[in-house]
């Protein structure tokens, strides 16, 4: 049995405890109670969330009596407006050495940093607060464009739903890739995001208003290795090329060609970071004419060439 303790403080961000569903489904997939989950606070008793919903908690155990394997530390909606209670910081410093791993969910990274658990380590948090985390704690190597980061026994996640990806990665570490895939399927997660994936999504940034344009983007993402002309995209959603271009630009603020390039470089970047495929192969798989064409697109989109992205990923 693997015991997971959620450390909650007053005003904790309610999305943090949504990650418990991942471990709940993992027990179903495993066919046994592999994970045992409890909510804790320093004092015990009812703790109110960011929605003012009360959650009952057990008092945090003394280090000598702690049997927790994984501590999941919840953050708050705005870490700049509140201070981490000294008792929470003191508890984490004592408890971290007896646990297999400690995770900061979303702005929970600030709590881990206060406790000194991130000193000299790579970490991430919600993109909106990443710069502040770096400024407050210069000994932390903050990477503001990651879904989650694992540095030894310390895990940190980006904001909100990224905590689900972190929890799913824990399931994969504990029970294997097939179990993690089954859990993701039960949770109706559209895709399992790896830690190296960017917090920022090109699909989300485009934010089309109609289902037709959304369907065109979905079609494009599924067929990036093709040419994807305006005519082809228009035909996929049963519009004339002229009408499609007009509606697409009105809804997304971009031309179809520019949007498709954004999807290509997003997919190529993910392949570069997570695979060992040669750049020529990645360029071909994501629809670029050749490696040079992909490099030009990367310089426009990211300001760095693909080789720099790969070097950074390997160094990390």
């Amino acid at each position: 049995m693997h015991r997971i303790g959620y450390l909650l403080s007053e005003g904790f961000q309610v999305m943090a405890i949504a990650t418990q569903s991942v471990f709940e489904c993992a027990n179903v997939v495993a066919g046994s109670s592999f994970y045992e989950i409890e909510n804790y606070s320093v004092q015990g008793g009812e703790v109110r969330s960011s929605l003012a919903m009360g959650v009952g908690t057990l008092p945090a155990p003394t280090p000598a009596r702690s049997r927790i394997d994984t501590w999941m530390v919840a953050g708050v909606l705005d870490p700049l407006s509140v201070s981490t209670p000294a008792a929470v910081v003191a508890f984490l410093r004592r408890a971290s050495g007896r646990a297999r791993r400690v995770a900061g969910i979303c702005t929970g990274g600030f709590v881990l940093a206060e406790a000194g658990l991130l000193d000299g380590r790579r970490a991430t948090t919600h993109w909106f607060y990443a710069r502040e985390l770096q400024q407050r704690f210069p000994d932390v190597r903050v990477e503001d464009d990651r879904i989650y980061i694992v540095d030894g026994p310390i895990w940190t996640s980006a904001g909100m739903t990224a905590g689900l990806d972190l929890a799913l990665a824990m399931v994969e570490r504990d029970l294997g890739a097939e179990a993690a895939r089954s859990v993701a399927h039960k949770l109706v997660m559209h895709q399992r995001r790896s830690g190296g994936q960017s917090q920022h999504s090109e699909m989300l940034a485009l934010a089309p208003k109609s289902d037709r344009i959304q369907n065109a983007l979905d079609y494009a993402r599924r067929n990036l290795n093709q040419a994807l002309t305006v005519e082809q995209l228009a035909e996929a959603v049963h519009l004339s090329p002229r009408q499609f271009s007009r509606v697409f630009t009105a809804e997304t603020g971009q031309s179809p060609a520019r949007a498709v390039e954004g999807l290509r470089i997003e997919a190529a970047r993910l392949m570069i970071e997570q695979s060992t495929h040669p750049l020529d192969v990645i360029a071909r798989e994501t629809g670029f004419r050749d490696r040079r064409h992909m490099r030009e697109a990367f310089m426009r989109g990211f300001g760095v060439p693909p080789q720099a992205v790969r070097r950074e990923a390997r160094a990390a």
Side-chain angles (χ1 to χ4, degrees):
M1 180 178 291
H2 187 104
R3 297 176 175 84
I4 299 179
Y6 278 74
L7 185 62
L8 309 179
S9 300
E10 196 68 21
F12 72 90
Q13 209 292 311
V14 71
M15 188 70 189
I17 57 176
T19 60
Q20 295 180 9
S21 296
V22 174
F23 302 115
E24 178 187 23
C25 287
N27 284 341
V28 174
V29 169
S32 64
S33 298
F34 179 82
Y35 292 108
E36 181 181 273
I37 304 166
E38 295 282 3
N39 293 318
Y40 292 89
S41 63
V42 171
Q43 301 296 332
E46 185 176 274
V47 176
R48 300 183 75 80
S49 74
S50 54
L51 284 175
M53 175 184 70
V55 175
T57 66
L58 297 172
T62 62
R65 294 185 176 182
S66 178
R67 299 184 301 159
I68 299 299
D69 298 294
T70 296
W71 282 106
M72 303 286 279
V73 181
V76 295
L77 273 178
D78 183 3
L80 309 186
S81 63
V82 296
S83 298
T84 303
V88 173
V89 172
F91 170 77
L92 276 177
R93 287 173 178 165
R94 296 193 305 268
S96 60
R98 298 185 65 88
R100 277 181 50 192
R101 59 195 176 202
V102 180
I105 305 173
C106 189
T107 59
F110 279 79
V111 184
L112 269 57
E114 287 275 5
L117 303 186
L118 300 185
D119 289 354
R121 295 187 184 276
R122 299 169 56 235
T124 192
T125 189
H126 193 294
W127 62 268
F128 189 82
Y129 297 108
R131 181 175 297 179
E132 183 66 25
L133 180 64
Q134 185 66 84
Q135 291 176 349
R136 287 191 181 186
F137 305 99
D139 291 336
V140 182
R141 294 156 54 195
V142 178
E143 299 183 20
D144 63 356
D145 198 23
R146 293 291 181 266
I147 296 297
Y148 63 84
I149 287 177
V150 183
D151 191 329
I154 306 299
W155 298 51
T156 50
S157 83
M160 303 299 181
T161 59
L164 297 172
D165 299 288
L166 177 144
L168 198 59
M170 289 182 173
V171 171
E172 182 170 0
R173 179 75 60 89
D174 298 335
L175 297 174
E178 186 56 40
R181 280 193 290 271
S182 296
V183 171
H185 186 65
K186 286 183 177 296
L187 290 172
V188 198
M189 294 177 71
H190 180 65
Q191 66 179 102
R192 291 175 54 225
R193 297 183 295 180
S194 68
Q197 190 166 340
S198 171
Q199 292 190 34
H200 308 287
S201 166
E202 185 69 20
M203 290 285 280
L204 186 60
L206 290 168
K209 298 178 178 62
S210 68
D211 288 342
R212 272 191 170 177
I213 301 304
Q214 181 65 57
N215 290 339
L217 288 168
D218 290 337
Y219 176 86
R221 188 168 59 176
R222 292 194 306 268
N223 296 278
L224 287 177
N225 61 343
Q226 299 183 27
L228 295 177
T229 62
V230 169
E231 289 75 16
Q232 187 177 358
L233 294 173
E235 182 179 357
V237 293
H238 311 294
L239 291 173
S240 70
R242 183 177 180 180
Q243 184 183 15
F244 173 77
S245 293
R246 179 178 56 79
V247 174
F248 190 99
T249 303
E251 290 195 15
T252 68
Q254 296 186 21
S255 68
R258 183 176 178 185
V260 167
E261 181 175 281
L263 294 176
R264 292 194 198 282
I265 63 174
E266 185 175 73
R269 172 177 165 171
L270 188 59
M271 289 185 68
I272 288 169
E273 291 178 332
Q274 298 183 3
S275 77
T276 58
H277 295 312
L279 295 182
D280 291 325
V281 172
I282 293 174
R284 184 169 62 249
E285 288 295 316
T286 52
F288 293 102
R289 291 191 301 273
D290 51 32
R291 179 171 171 170
R292 180 179 178 181
H293 182 208
M294 182 172 71
R295 185 184 190 281
E296 293 170 351
F298 264 63
M299 294 303 296
R300 284 193 295 271
F302 301 136
V304 295
Q307 295 91 333
V309 174
R310 171 149 285 175
R311 282 195 300 270
E312 181 182 349
R314 287 177 175 175

